[in-house]
Amino acid sequence: MNEGDCPIQFRGLRGDDYPVRAMWNSMLAGIVFQHPSIESLRRELSRNGQLRSICGLRAVPSAAAYTRFLRSLMEHGSWIESMFDELVKTLSEELPDFGRRLAMDSKAIASWASRPSKEKKEDGRRDLDAAYGVKTYRGTREDGSTWEKVVRWFGYKLHLVVDAKHELPVAYTVTKGSRSDVKEGHVLLDEMEKRHPKMLKKAEVLTADRGYDDSKLLSRCWDEYGIKPVIDTRRLWKDGEQTRLLPGHTNVVYDEGGAVYCYCPETGARQQMSNGGFEKDRGTLKKVCPAKAYGITCQGREQCPVAGGVRVPLAVDRRIFTPIARESYKWAKEYRYRTAVERVNSRLDVSFGFERHTIRGLAKMRARCGLALCVMLAMALGRVREKQQERMRSLVRSVS
């Protein structure tokens, strides 16, 4: 793209001291070299003549010049999205397995403003877009006790879909901190369907934490795209309700974790049934008699109505029953790929400066997130083309 074709224009600048390409280069340099603010970048440009020359600057741009540049950049946020999409497309061509295994999560990003402003007039110093967000993390300790951690912030959410193998983003949105993860999960799928339909067809598995536990989202993944959802479940059953009777059976029950049990008709003893795989043409999970699968003794096997096994339709409960059985080893193996999003989020914090930033306003946050993700993809693409795929997640490299 030539500078004359770019919609970002400036007024009142000194000749050609701050051409668009040079300003753009300096913005990218600020991201690569982890400057938390424009003033930090300007100080670096002031002392580092070599960096100014590489960027194409004759002089250090004023703070006002950067303000005008950022304002124009925010007005044309779709250009950043287009760059991101082109990088995703190019990487998918360079890496045949890119997008085959996906992971979804959101990242809390606090605003530079610490609380809502009582003023309603935008003046560039207040944040009138941010909202309070809350995320709750739960887990189980080794001794069986449970723990809970509640994180609250005033700001925004970056919603991400990443390639879980290469740990690179493939889709993103930025919203207020109060936005529901589940609702935005549907938006991310809509965006991928519109922008990267081939990748959706190639995708095989989508992993996410229990914040995305929603029957509509799980059903959509499999029914519309053929993607196997590996999403943890929330505990939504009533207190004391441990199991439910499997429809059409008298001695088979299931729990909220997806495990299926049968009761011996002779002794009443309960055993967990074994996984027999997913039958795609039937839309059912096959469960095998535990006596047959494990060789255990069952006194009532001769008269048991499920001695030959059972088929559990996904339609019994789309939130609990998924193409990959929840209690299987394969499900546990796939779910571990969910941490790929956490590592991408960590890189955004540490290497791309979101731990300490000076961003206020939704438009500026969208532009800054988009630029960071574009740099992440561009660096990865460069490494791949240089046959350095093992270093494609590195922002910089050491000089030997």
Side-chain angles (χ1 to χ4, degrees):
M1 180 181 67
N2 298 321
E3 287 189 24
D5 301 327
C6 181
I8 302 175
Q9 302 295 334
F10 303 95
R11 295 180 180 177
L13 300 184
R14 298 180 301 169
D16 295 326
D17 284 344
Y18 314 144
V20 172
R21 185 176 294 278
M23 293 290 290
W24 175 254
N25 289 342
S26 69
M27 287 291 296
L28 297 183
I31 295 173
V32 172
F33 296 114
Q34 305 173 22
H35 288 284
S37 65
I38 291 298
E39 285 307 307
S40 174
L41 172 61
R42 291 183 67 247
R43 287 193 294 271
E44 177 67 17
L45 289 170
S46 178
R47 72 168 189 83
N48 191 334
Q50 186 177 14
L51 181 59
R52 288 199 309 273
S53 177
I54 292 173
C55 292
L57 291 168
R58 298 178 182 178
V60 179
S62 64
Y66 276 112
T67 297
R68 290 191 292 272
F69 184 86
L70 285 170
R71 187 179 297 120
S72 296
L73 197 61
M74 289 185 288
E75 291 173 357
H76 299 88
S78 60
W79 284 59
I80 298 176
E81 295 173 0
S82 296
M83 284 189 292
F84 177 88
D85 291 340
E86 187 63 29
L87 286 164
V88 169
K89 179 182 176 182
T90 306
L91 269 170
S92 66
E93 294 170 353
E94 297 280 347
L95 301 171
D97 59 348
F98 186 70
R100 188 165 295 164
R101 181 177 278 109
L102 303 175
M104 180 186 292
D105 202 358
S106 67
K107 170 181 173 53
I109 305 179
S111 169
W112 180 240
S114 59
R115 59 184 182 274
S117 174
K118 295 181 180 179
E119 299 290 335
K120 300 301 179 184
K121 184 179 179 181
E122 180 62 62
D123 61 359
R125 297 190 299 272
R126 301 180 177 90
D127 194 332
L128 306 181
D129 302 322
Y132 286 104
V134 179
K135 288 197 77 171
T136 303
Y137 302 88
R138 297 183 179 89
T140 304
R141 301 185 182 93
E142 293 182 359
D143 60 2
S145 61
T146 59
W147 58 268
E148 179 177 290
K149 178 182 178 181
V150 179
V151 177
R152 295 182 175 86
W153 75 99
F154 176 69
Y156 303 93
K157 273 186 181 180
L158 171 61
H159 303 264
L160 278 172
V161 177
V162 308
D163 175 274
K165 177 182 177 181
H166 300 290
E167 298 177 11
L168 293 170
V170 299
Y172 76 97
T173 58
V174 181
T175 67
K176 295 182 178 183
S178 55
R179 176 67 171 173
S180 162
D181 284 352
V182 169
K183 291 181 179 178
E184 203 62 21
H186 285 280
V187 173
L188 285 168
L189 289 179
D190 291 337
E191 289 295 305
M192 289 191 67
E193 185 174 11
K194 179 173 64 175
R195 298 172 180 271
H196 304 291
K198 292 183 179 179
M199 183 169 291
L200 273 181
K201 291 182 179 179
K202 181 169 62 174
E204 297 175 358
V205 178
L206 173 69
T207 62
D209 62 22
R210 65 187 61 183
Y212 296 87
D213 177 22
D214 172 65
S215 58
K216 292 181 180 179
L217 184 63
L218 279 96
S219 301
R220 182 180 180 185
C221 285
W222 177 247
D223 296 346
E224 296 186 23
Y225 311 118
I227 300 174
K228 297 176 180 178
V230 178
I231 300 175
D232 198 10
T233 55
R234 295 171 291 162
R235 297 300 178 254
L236 301 179
W237 288 3
K238 298 177 181 178
D239 291 342
E241 188 178 16
Q242 300 297 321
T243 61
R244 289 179 178 177
L245 189 67
L246 187 68
H249 298 275
T250 58
N251 69 325
V252 181
V253 299
Y254 65 94
D255 63 22
E256 202 168 7
V260 178
Y261 306 89
C262 62
Y263 286 88
C264 174
E266 185 71 25
T267 64
R270 191 181 83 169
Q271 295 287 348
Q272 182 173 341
M273 303 188 76
S274 174
N275 291 308
F278 175 60
E279 299 174 310
K280 182 178 179 180
D281 55 336
R282 296 174 180 265
T284 58
L285 291 168
K286 191 174 181 180
K287 300 296 179 178
V288 182
C289 167
K292 180 179 179 180
Y294 308 126
I296 62 176
T297 301
C298 178
Q299 298 180 18
R301 184 176 181 183
E302 295 299 326
Q303 63 267 34
C304 181
V306 295
V310 296
R311 288 188 172 94
V312 182
L314 300 184
V316 169
D317 192 325
R318 296 303 298 269
R319 193 177 68 85
I320 293 176
F321 295 111
T322 58
I324 301 178
R326 289 186 176 277
E327 78 282 15
S328 66
Y329 293 113
K330 184 177 181 181
W331 195 95
K333 179 182 177 180
E334 292 290 346
Y335 189 68
R336 285 196 289 270
Y337 282 100
R338 182 190 60 83
T339 57
V341 192
E342 297 175 0
R343 286 189 285 275
V344 171
N345 288 339
S346 177
R347 287 159 59 200
L348 287 170
D349 276 339
V350 177
S351 299
F352 290 85
F354 282 92
E355 267 186 336
R356 50 191 188 97
H357 65 81
T358 57
I359 306 170
R360 287 174 291 203
L362 183 57
K364 187 179 289 186
M365 184 63 74
R366 281 176 175 158
R368 184 63 177 80
C369 287
L371 288 173
L373 296 173
C374 284
V375 169
M376 188 182 293
L377 290 174
M379 296 294 288
L381 180 59
R383 302 288 194 214
V384 171
R385 288 179 170 174
E386 291 176 358
K387 309 301 180 184
Q388 300 175 354
Q389 188 169 327
E390 71 282 355
R391 292 202 302 225
M392 67 181 180
R393 289 185 289 273
S394 299
L395 185 61
V396 295
R397 66 179 180 182
S398 58
V399 179
S400 56

